[in-house]
Structures are given as C-alpha cells and as structure tokens.
C-alpha cells in the first residue's frame, strides 16, 4: 500500500523568507496530491493540490511541485507571514480515489 | 452556510460505555470519512463512505463502526471504547465519490478513562 513520508517535522523560518516542505510517496500509480493547513485548535483546510499530469501549480504565495520520477512533491511558501504559522500535511491516494494516506505533518514556525 | 458539523465537540467517558459521535454535512456531498489525529502520526483514516449504504474500512477500523443511512449523516460508533481510542476525531466530506477537496468538521476530542 501507499506510504507517505513528510520532512521536516518542524521548520522555523524568519518572516519574509521562504519555506519548503517535502513529501515522498511509494505508489507510482498515485495521481492526486493535496496539501492541508491546520492552524492551532482548528480543522485541516485544503490550501493547494496537484494532479499527476501537472509538474507545478501556483496560487499566490504558495506553490506545489511534483516529481513523478522521484516520487516526491513539495510545498513552497514564499514571503512567509505570521499567519502562515501552522501544521501542514501532505497526502496521497491509498490505492484508490476513496482513501488518503497522510504525512505526519510539519509544524511551521514563522519568527518575527 | 455550507458546513460539516460534529457533536459532541468534547467527550470524557469510561472504558466500555458505548458512544456515538455524529457528523452531518449540508453540501450534498457523496463522500464522507472519519479520521483520528494523534500527535506525531498525522491523520489516519478510520472508515469512509462513497455514498448512502456504501462504506469501507480505512487504515485503523478496529473498535469502530459506522453507518450511512442518509446522505448527510455519517455517525461514528464506539461499541466498547478503550483508552487507546483517546484521540481527536475529524469527520470530512467531499463532492463526488472521491477524496478530492475534503471539508472537515471542527473535531471531537474524546478521552476514554
């Protein structure tokens, strides 16, 4: 079955700098890769996703890149702001469109 | 307002006392799912449902039951809760019978003593 590994577990960056979070997956048939943001005490919310027929997708300050050959995908946040502080989760399909296997999460800390 | 609701939000119970956590969505979504969230383990899927009367096990289904008699409701049942089921539980739903763009409920924090 699918296995998703996420790194780093904690990332501390200076406000205004960029942050990159990386996930690797094991199932080469996986075709959908979402990223969710969970603020402290809140529910996870989808911030961006990418399908396997696309190599990169951007939405303002966030972007996701996908390398199907190496089986990894990354979240890039530019010009980080205090409101970017949260836990970020990646996920990949667990063998079907009905399951998602989640990474363990990355706690992003934005230092003022 | 489009939303996923869960009740109760907080629950402290004792080992062996049956409980039900309700989940309801008003977006006419086909797909619904239950997750548990534990520190360092991310989100793990318990059960999911592709539509009414269609449910299947996720990664950690032991000790849980679900039912999907109506499209909007997807209750999670713990027949005999144990301390290892102490966790934060999230219900989620999405349009169509897939996991794309899931909307999460506010979460239920369960403590089993």
């Amino acid at each position: 079955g699918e296995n998703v590994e996420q790194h780093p577990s904690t990332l501390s960056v200076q406000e205004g700098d960029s942050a990159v979070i990386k996930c690797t997956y094991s199932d080469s048939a996986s075709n959908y890769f979402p990223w969710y943001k969970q603020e402290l005490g809140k529910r996870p919310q989808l911030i961006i996703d990418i399908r396997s027929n696309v190599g990169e997708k951007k939405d303002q300050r966030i972007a996701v890149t996908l390398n199907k050959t190496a089986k990894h995908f990354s979240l890039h946040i530019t010009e980080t702001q205090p409101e970017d502080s949260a836990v970020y989760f990646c996920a990949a399909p667990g063998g079907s469109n009905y399951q998602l296997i989640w990474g363990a999460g990355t706690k992003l800390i934005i230092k003022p | 307002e489009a939303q996923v609701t869960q009740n109760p939000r907080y629950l402290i119970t004792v080992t062996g006392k049956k409980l039900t956590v309700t989940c309801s969505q008003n977006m006419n979504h086909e797909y619904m799912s239950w997750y548990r969230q534990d520190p360092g383990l991310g989100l793990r899927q318990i059960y999911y449902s592709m539509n009414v009367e269609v449910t299947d096990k996720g990664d950690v289904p032991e000790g849980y039951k679900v039912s999907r008699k109506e499209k909007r409701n997807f209750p999670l049942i713990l027949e005999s809760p144990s301390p290892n089921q102490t966790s934060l539980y999230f219900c989620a739903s999405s349009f169509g019978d897939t996991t794309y763009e899931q909307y999460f409920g506010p979460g239920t924090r369960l403590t089993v003593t």
Side-chain angles (χ1 to χ4, degrees):
Chain A
E2 178 69 276
N3 183 47
V4 176
E5 294 190 0
Q6 183 172 347
H7 299 280
S9 56
T10 304
L11 178 60
S12 184
V13 302
Q14 206 71 37
E15 182 178 347
D17 288 350
S18 295
V20 181
I21 303 168
K22 182 177 176 178
C23 286
T24 60
Y25 61 97
S26 59
D27 187 350
S28 57
S30 290
N31 59 3
Y32 172 69
F33 307 94
W35 285 92
Y36 283 77
K37 175 184 180 182
Q38 186 179 28
E39 297 177 359
L40 188 63
K42 300 291 181 64
R43 70 194 79 187
Q45 289 188 297
L46 179 71
I47 54 172
I48 196 167
D49 57 16
I50 192 168
R51 311 288 171 97
S52 60
N53 59 347
V54 175
E56 184 177 6
K57 183 177 178 181
K58 287 183 180 179
D59 183 3
Q60 299 182 335
R61 294 188 298 108
I62 60 172
V64 56
T65 57
L66 172 64
N67 184 327
K68 289 172 60 180
T69 303
K71 290 189 282 188
H72 67 72
F73 56 109
S74 300
L75 178 70
H76 305 254
I77 305 174
T78 58
E79 302 173 12
T80 53
Q81 299 171 5
E83 55 264 36
D84 295 330
S85 293
V87 178
Y88 292 81
F89 292 97
C90 64
S96 76
N97 285 338
Y98 306 125
Q99 284 188 276
L100 275 182
I101 305 300
W102 296 71
T106 296
K107 183 176 183 179
L108 177 62
I109 300 167
I110 307 300
K111 297 182 289 186
Chain B
E1 179 190 355
Q3 60 182 347
V4 180
T5 57
Q6 292 179 230
N7 282 293
R9 295 289 313 280
Y10 303 91
L11 179 60
I12 300 174
T13 189
V14 296
T15 299
K17 186 176 181 181
K18 181 179 178 179
L19 67 92
T20 299
V21 183
T22 65
C23 172
S24 184
Q25 50 91 8
N26 62 1
M27 295 171 281
N28 202 35
H29 285 170
E30 283 83 7
Y31 183 92
M32 297 185 75
S33 182
W34 275 103
Y35 296 93
R36 61 177 289 173
Q37 183 175 29
D38 302 290
L41 296 178
L43 289 149
R44 293 181 292 168
Q45 194 171 38
I46 303 170
Y47 269 95
Y48 59 92
S49 169
M50 296 81 85
N51 214 324
V52 176
E53 302 291 2
V54 184
T55 64
D56 206 349
K57 298 177 181 178
D59 293 317
V60 289
E62 296 77 19
Y64 305 94
K65 286 176 59 177
V66 293
S67 68
R68 187 92 181 271
K69 294 184 172 59
E70 303 167 284
K71 196 172 188 178
R72 64 183 293 130
N73 296 323
F74 190 44
L76 179 69
I77 303 156
L78 285 72
E79 295 265 358
S80 183
S82 62
N84 64 11
Q85 292 178 299
T86 292
S87 188
L88 177 60
Y89 291 86
F90 285 102
C91 178
S93 71
S94 60
F95 181 72
D97 60 350
T98 72
T99 61
Y100 298 167
E101 195 172 2
Q102 293 188 68
Y103 292 83
F104 282 79
T108 295
R109 186 164 292 282
L110 172 65
T111 302
V112 183
T113 61

